[in-house]
Every structure is written in structure tokens, then in C-alpha cells.
Amino acid sequence: MTAIHDFQGTILSDTASVLGEGPTYDPDTDTVWWFNILGKELHELHLATGKKQVHELPMMASVLARIDAGRQLIATEEGLFLRDVATGELTFYAAIEADKPENRSNDGRTHISGSLWIGTMGKRAEMQAGAIYHVAGGKVTKIFDQISIPNSICFSPDGTMGYFTDTRVSQLMRVMVDPLTGLPTGEPIVLVDSMEDPGGIDGSVCDADGYIWNARWGSGFVDRYSPDGLRIERYRVPAAQPSCPAFVGKDADRLAVTTAWEGLDEDARSTQPQAGALLELGPVVKGVFDPPYKI
């Protein structure tokens, strides 16, 4: 039976994002990074001091990966760009769906091989308009197609399993992965079928024991699944639209969660003033950091 926990976490940042997404943590600088996709913003929070910065972007972006102390890789509606941490300058790196200006990037994550999986979707969430790509050394390879809203991209700690979903379908998929390259080595299978549950499977991370932490959009929960697909815990959050978790803190023992107020009317927003905030879930976790992307 699934254990349900009330929210006992905190608000890490009360800056309300229309569509908060793509959180990640840099342990070298103790910094959480995340996006307000629709607001074209990159948010930066230093955990120890609480110092917060918002960086305006010239386009919608959704995923950030560390490269080294001075550079980051970000996924945007116009492709992949290198970002200079000190100046914010963007340099074009690789094209993704340059022939589809109606699409944008969405969920993504780095693999222990140093490669990146990045999903795309229609800017109006058109049916099956998106895909998931593998990026390594600047080479972009399509690995899954006909996806409406790609999410839940994450990997087992040893890099042998990959996970993803189409939130519109709300089935969490599992696929075998080459730990040396990050490329799939088999066909995806359904690990979790939650089509009948309220809300939809959104962003996920996989902890050090292989358990999957999932933000369930539209339900106000973060769920924890066992490696064999059993939902064992649910954590309430004070926002109906949690979008993606990330392990944060020097020991990766805290879980941050982005949220959104996209699509909520004034009445709905008045009942959940934390919608769009960056939350900390509360429980102590056994997380792992997202690996750097290898140029």
C-alpha cells in the first residue's frame, strides 16, 4: 500500500515561474539552477546563502548541464548552446529540429557517459510532435519518436537503464542503455502504467538505490517508485503542478522540486500561492548528482 505524506518541506525560492522546469545542482558551487520556460528565464540559487539571481534569456530553454567550472550546456527552442557562467554569453553548439520552429526543448538529463538525452515537443503540445534525442560530442541522434510531451528522462546509477515518458500517455518507460555511450540497446517497455490516475507523470530523478522520484503534474504529489515499478510513497506538495525534482545539497540528500502556475485561473492560484515556486520536499534522500556533459 502506498504511504502518503503531508508536506513538511520548505520554500527554497518563492519567485513564481509560469512553467518552472529543468532543475539541476552544481555541487562545486552549491548552486541550484532551473528554468522558467515560458518566461524565458534561467534562475540561480546559492543554497548556503539564499542569494538568488534571474538571468533573462533570448529564447525559451529547459535543460542545463554542467560542462566545467566556466561553461554550461543549455537546451533551447533554437538548439543547444554553450553558456559562459561568468558572462551569460551563449554560443551555438548543435542544432536540434532546426526544420521545426514550431517545436521547443523540454525535459532532459545527462548520463554517466557524459552524453545528454533531450526531449522536444510542440509549443502547443501538439499530438506526437516531439521526440527524444541522444547528444554526445556534438552529434545528435534521434532515439525515440512521436512523443507529445517528453518527460521523466533519468538513468539508473550504473547507467544501464534509462527512463522516460510521454506525459500525455502517462506510462513510465524503461529501456536498456549502454553505460559507456548512453545509447539505448533494446526496445522500451512499460514500467509504470498510470493512465487511470489523476494528473500525469512529469519529470523524474533516479536515486543511488535505483528508486525513481517523480513529480506528478496536476496531482500535487511527488511519487517514489521502486526499481520494479511499484509506487511505494507519495509526498504532497503545496502546488498542483509539480514539474521536476532534482537532488541538491553537498551530500545530494535533499530534493528540490520545480512547480508551475501555467493554465491556472485566479481562483486556482489564490488557493495555492506556492504554485511556480521552487520547493524542497523535506525527507532525507540518497541522491546522485547529474554528471557533467562531455564536450
Side-chain angles (χ1 to χ4, degrees), residues 260-280:
W261 60 260
E262 178 190 11
L264 300 181
D265 59 25
E266 289 187 12
D267 288 342
R269 289 194 66 186
S270 68
T271 62
Q272 45 178 307
Q274 283 80 30
L278 179 72
L279 312 176
E280 181 174 347

Side-chain angles (χ1 to χ4, degrees), residues 37-171:
I37 295 178
L38 299 182
K40 299 181 180 179
E41 295 171 341
L42 172 62
H43 291 235
E44 174 185 359
L45 175 68
H46 187 254
L47 271 187
T49 64
K51 181 181 178 182
K52 172 77 186 296
Q53 296 185 67
V54 179
H55 308 277
E56 294 185 1
L57 299 171
M59 74 281 277
M60 288 189 287
S62 62
V63 170
L64 179 147
R66 291 179 295 138
I67 296 174
D68 51 37
R71 295 177 298 172
Q72 301 162 329
L73 181 73
I74 67 169
T76 82
E77 62 180 315
E78 297 180 14
L80 296 172
F81 287 78
L82 302 179
R83 180 179 184 271
D84 185 285
V85 176
T87 66
E89 181 182 358
L90 300 178
T91 304
F92 182 76
Y93 178 68
I96 296 181
E97 296 186 338
D99 59 337
K100 295 182 178 180
E102 68 276 13
N103 279 10
R104 65 166 175 85
S105 63
N106 200 50
D107 188 63
R109 197 171 300 280
T110 47
H111 178 263
I112 60 169
S113 65
S115 63
L116 171 76
W117 283 20
I118 180 66
T120 63
M121 61 179 286
K123 292 176 181 175
R124 298 182 180 180
E126 291 88 347
M127 187 68 71
Q128 297 184 336
I132 295 177
Y133 296 84
H134 171 274
V135 184
K139 180 183 178 181
V140 179
T141 304
K142 184 186 292 185
I143 52 176
F144 305 114
D145 206 354
Q146 297 184 323
I147 296 177
S148 300
I149 307 174
N151 271 308
S152 273
I153 294 173
C154 61
F155 305 97
S156 61
D158 63 2
T160 62
M161 293 286 181
Y163 303 93
F164 69 94
T165 194
D166 183 338
T167 298
R168 182 163 285 156
V169 178
S170 206
Q171 292 178 328

Side-chain angles (χ1 to χ4, degrees), residues 1-4 191-194 197-198 201 211-212 214 216 219 221-235:
M1 191 172 187
T2 303
I4 300 178
L191 180 67
V192 176
D193 189 341
S194 67
D197 293 347
I201 294 175
Y211 287 78
I212 301 157
N214 171 252
R216 190 166 184 90
S219 75
F221 286 110
V222 172
D223 294 330
R224 183 175 180 240
Y225 291 94
S226 66
D228 57 1
L230 179 66
R231 185 169 61 200
I232 57 175
E233 291 182 293
R234 306 199 87 174
Y235 292 83

